[in-house]
Amino acid sequence: RSFAQSLLRFLGFIFWGTAAAQAFGGVLAILMLKNYRYLFQESYLSLPGWLALATALILLPTGVLAVSISVKCSCNQQGILMYLLLLLLCLEMSSAALARSYCVRTASQLESVMGYLVHQHNRTCSQDPGNSAVDVIQRKLQCCGVHNYTDWLKTSSPWHHLACVPESCCKEKHSHCRGDLGHMEQLSEEDCLKKLEGQLCFAMLYIFWFCTVVIILELLAGVSNGILMRHHPFHELHIL
C-alpha cells in the first residue's frame, strides 16, 4: 500500500511534465502539416496532433488526482481517476496508431507529389525568385529537386533546355546566385524528398513513441490505484 501511494504520487508529477511534452508534439504535428498543406490534401492527417493536445489537457487533472489520492484516499477520486486513465488509454492508443500509419502512408506519397510539382513548374531562367509551392519548399528546406538538381533537367519545362535551375535552389549565403549550373557550389546539394520525409516522420514518430511511453505509465498508475482501492469496502466504490 505504501509503495502504491509513493508510485502514484510520483506518476502524478510525471503526468504534469508529460502533458507539456504531449502538447509540444501535438502542436509540432499540426504546424508541420499546416506549413505543407499544399502537399497533403487530406485534412484528417492532423488528427494525431489534435488527439495529442486533447490528451495533454486530460493529463493535467489526472496528475492532480493521482497526487491527491496518494495523500488522502477518496473513493470518489479513485473512481474518477480510473475513468480518466481509461479515457487516456483510448486516446493514446488511437493517437499512436494513427501517427504510425500516417508516417508510412504520407512518406510513400511525397515522391509522387513532389515529382508532379516539379513537372508543373514552368518558368524560364530569370531574376524572379518565384513563389510557387516548389520554390517555397526549396527555399525553406535549402534543397533542390526531388532527389537532386538533375530532376529539373528531366522535365518538359524550359529548364530542360537551359543550363539553370530555379533560384530557390541557391544557398542563402550566395545572394547573387541565379541558378546557373556552371556554379554548382552556389546550389543546394540535398534533395527535398529526404528532408520532407525526415521532418514529417519526426513529428509523427515523436507522437508514436511518446504515446507508447505514456501508456505504460498510465497502466502503472491504474495498477497502483487499484491496489489502494482494495482497502475500501465494495459498497464504498459506488462511483464505479
Side-chain angles (χ1 to χ4, degrees), residues 129-131 134-143 168 172:
N131 292 308
V134 178
D135 287 317
V136 173
I137 293 174
Q138 292 186 150
R139 196 175 297 112
K140 183 182 296 184
L141 299 181
Q142 285 294 286
C143 58
S168 54
E172 289 183 346

Side-chain angles (χ1 to χ4, degrees), residues 121-140:
H121 196 285
N122 190 21
R123 293 189 294 107
T124 58
C125 294
S126 67
Q127 295 184 0
D128 180 15
N131 292 308
S132 68
V134 178
D135 287 317
V136 173
I137 293 174
Q138 292 186 150
R139 196 175 297 112
K140 183 182 296 184

Side-chain angles (χ1 to χ4, degrees), residues 107-161:
S108 63
Q109 294 177 348
L110 276 178
E111 185 172 6
S112 60
V113 174
M114 283 293 298
Y116 173 78
L117 291 176
V118 169
H119 181 76
Q120 293 297 316
H121 196 285
N122 190 21
R123 293 189 294 107
T124 58
C125 294
S126 67
Q127 295 184 0
D128 180 15
N131 292 308
S132 68
V134 178
D135 287 317
V136 173
I137 293 174
Q138 292 186 150
R139 196 175 297 112
K140 183 182 296 184
L141 299 181
Q142 285 294 286
C143 58
C144 187
V146 182
H147 299 97
N148 51 50
Y149 74 94
T150 59
D151 292 321
W152 290 106
L153 308 179
K154 300 175 184 177
T155 65
S156 59
S157 68
W159 304 110
H160 180 75
H161 307 286

